Amino acid sequence: MTPPDQAGIVVVGASLAGLRGAEALRRHGYDGRLTIVGDEAYLPYDRPPLSKHVLAGELTADATTLPQSPSLRAEWRLGQAAVALDRAARNLHLADGAVLPYDKLLIATGAQARPWPAGSGGTLSGVFTLRGRDDAARLRVALERRPRRVLIVGGGLIGCEAASCCRDLGVPVTLVDPNATPLARSLGTLIGGVIVECLRAAGVDFRPGTQVLGLEGDAEGRVTRARLRDGSTIEADLVIAALGATRATAWLAGAGLLADSSGLTCDGACRALASDGSADSAVYAAGDVARWPIPLYGGRLVSVEHWGNAVEQAAHAARNMLAAAHDQRPYDHLPAFWSSQFGINIKAVGLSEGADSLAVVHGSRASRRFLAVYGRQGRSIAAVSFDQARWLPAYADAIAAGCPFPPILDATDQIRIETLAPGFPPPRRSDEAHHG
Ligand SMILES: Cc1cc2nc3c(=O)[nH]c(=O)nc-3n(C[C@H](O)[C@H](O)[C@H](O)COP(=O)(O)OP(=O)(O)OC[C@H]3O[C@@H](n4cnc5c(N)ncnc54)[C@H](O)[C@@H]3O)c2cc1C
C-alpha cells in the first residue's frame, strides 16, 4: 500500500468521465492513493436516462447511480467543489478550505446547462434546466402536477427528448427553435425534417425559425407566458430551457490554463495546455470539459458532449497519466451518440459539421427508418440511423478509415441511394459538438 502522506492521483468531477477514468487507472495497475472530488452530493450517476426514463416516471432519479468497479478503492470527497488549482505547488483547493496535493490530476468537471437569463424571466418559478438528477427529479414532480402547457426552448437532443416524454404523459407542449428544424446543427435540416414530422404527429406545437425573447410571471412569481420574436405569445406554466451547455471551467480561472466556457484545451494526449501552449504533464482532462485536436477531422479542436467520449477519453487519459513522457499516445476517437424520442432510436457516428452532401443508403426518410451518410468534399464524415442501426458499425469503420462518399455501395438491404443537400445552418463561432 501507498503511504498515506503520498499525494497520489486526484480526479475532479465525480461523474461518468471521473469514475471511468479512476477505474481505468486501477485497471492499468495504479495502486496508489486515489481521491475523487465532486461538487454534487451523489456518487456518480448516469445522465442519459434523466431526459428519457426519469422524466417519463419509469425510473426514479436515484436509480441512475452508475455501477462501480469493486477494485476502485477511492477516497470520495463528495459535495465539495474544487475552487482553485495551484499548478506550481500541485495543490487543488476545495470550497471548504481543504488543500489536496496531487502528483497527477484528472479534470473531468463536465458541463453545466446554460440557464435562461435572469433578466428575462429566468428566476420565475416553473423555469427549469435539465442537467443533473436534482433537476430531473424536480421536473418530474412539476410534470406530475399536470401543467397546462410546457414550453421547451431549444430543439437540441434534450429539448426533443423532453418534448417526447411530455407528450407520452399527455401534457400539451410547445417547442420553439431558432432553426427551421430541431437538431439542425447536429443532423442538418433534411434529417431534422423527419423529427418535425414526429413532433407534429405526437401533437407538439412546433414553432420553427423564431426565438423566445422573454418570460413573464404572475404576482406570485410563477411563469405564465413567453413572448416570441415573431410577436406571438405562448401561455405556459412550465418552461424547460434546453439551450445547450457551457463547460465547467470557471474554477480554473487563475490556473494559467487555456480554459474558457467552451472547454479546457488539451493536446492530443489529453494533457491540459498552459496559457503559453505548453502541455502540463501533471494535469489531464477528459469528457465534456475537454477540447482537443481530433485526428480524424484534420486535428481541429473539438469538445464532444457525448457519453461514449467521456468513457473512452477518460480511459485514454488514465493510460497516459501512468505512461512515461515518451509514451504518450494520441487520443483518436470517432464521436458517437444515441437518443431515443418519439419511439425512435437514433444513433449517430462522426462529426457532421461542414457536410456538403447526404446520402440515404438504407431505408427511407418517409418510413422514418433509414441510415444516412454525410459527405464532405467527397469523403464520408458521419452517419445517422433512425431505427436502422444494423449496418451503422460498418459505416463507422468506413468513416474512421476516411473512405470516399458514400462509402459502401451495394450493401445488404441497400435499395437505392438518394444524394441530397443536408441543410446545415451557418456555423457557430467555435467548432463544437453539442448534445444539448
Ligand atoms: C439529460 C442528459 C441526457 C443525455 N443523453 C445522452 C444520450 O442519450 N447519449 C449520449 O451520448 N450522451 C447523452 N448525454 C451526454 C452525457 O451524459 C455526457 O456527455 C456525460 O455525462 C459527460 O460526462 P462527464 O463526466 O464528462 O461530465 P458530467 O457528467 O457533466 O460530470 C461532471 C461532474 O463534475 C462536477 N463538477 C463540476 N465542476 C466541479 C468542481 N469545480 N468541483 C467538483 N466537481 C465539479 C459536476 O457537478 C458533475 O458531477 C446526456 C446529457 C444530459 C445532461
Side-chain angles (χ1 to χ4, degrees), residues 8 15 55 68 70 129-130 157 168 177 212 216-217 228 237 240 256 261 296 302 327 401 411 425 436:
S15 183
L55 285 199
Q68 267 178 40
T129 52
L130 179 51
L157 287 162
D168 286 347
D177 191 274
V212 175
E216 295 169 4
L228 269 55
D237 47 351
I240 303 175
S261 61
L296 187 59
V302 295
D327 184 26

Side-chain angles (χ1 to χ4, degrees), residues 26-63:
R26 292 292 188 221
R27 239 183 4 259
H28 289 295
Y30 176 67
D31 193 34
R33 191 165 187 184
L34 180 58
T35 309
I36 305 179
V37 178
D39 62 358
E40 296 185 85
Y42 309 111
L43 283 168
Y45 60 87
D46 209 17
R47 292 176 203 271
L50 300 178
S51 52
K52 306 170 182 75
H53 311 292
V54 175
L55 285 199
E58 295 156 5
L59 270 187
T60 57
D62 55 8

Side-chain angles (χ1 to χ4, degrees), residues 12-18 37-40 45-52 80-83 108-112 130-132 158 161 248 251 286-289 304-308 310 336-340 435:
V12 198
S15 183
L16 184 63
V37 178
D39 62 358
E40 296 185 85
Y45 60 87
D46 209 17
R47 292 176 203 271
L50 300 178
S51 52
K52 306 170 182 75
Q80 271 307 316
V83 291
T109 46
Q112 63 245 327
L130 179 51
R131 177 81 202 173
I158 289 173
E161 288 177 359
W251 68 280
D288 283 12
V289 75
V304 173
E305 288 180 64
H306 301 321
W307 199 94
F337 70 83
W338 80 93
S339 172
S340 46
H435 190 84

Side-chain angles (χ1 to χ4, degrees), residues 186-188 191 349 351-352 355 357-359 372-376 379-384 399 405 422 424:
S186 48
L187 300 180
I191 300 300
V349 293
L351 295 180
S352 58
S357 40
L358 177 101
V373 181
Y374 296 82
R376 181 179 186 173
R379 201 190 115 190
S380 298
I381 58 167
V384 63
I399 291 161
F405 170 84
F424 282 98

Side-chain angles (χ1 to χ4, degrees), residues 268-349:
C270 309
R271 287 176 296 207
L273 294 187
S275 315
D276 65 3
S278 63
D280 185 330
S281 58
V283 181
Y284 289 69
D288 283 12
V289 75
R291 177 170 54 190
W292 86 103
I294 186 161
L296 187 59
Y297 296 89
R300 80 174 201 250
L301 283 178
V302 295
S303 46
V304 173
E305 288 180 64
H306 301 321
W307 199 94
N309 176 61
V311 172
E312 273 188 38
Q313 195 172 26
H316 193 91
R319 184 255 166 227
N320 281 351
M321 286 170 89
L322 302 177
H326 66 268
D327 184 26
Q328 294 291 305
R329 296 197 190 147
Y331 177 56
D332 198 358
H333 174 72
L334 179 67
F337 70 83
W338 80 93
S339 172
S340 46
Q341 47 186 277
F342 305 106
I344 295 178
N345 190 1
I346 301 174
K347 290 190 172 179
V349 293

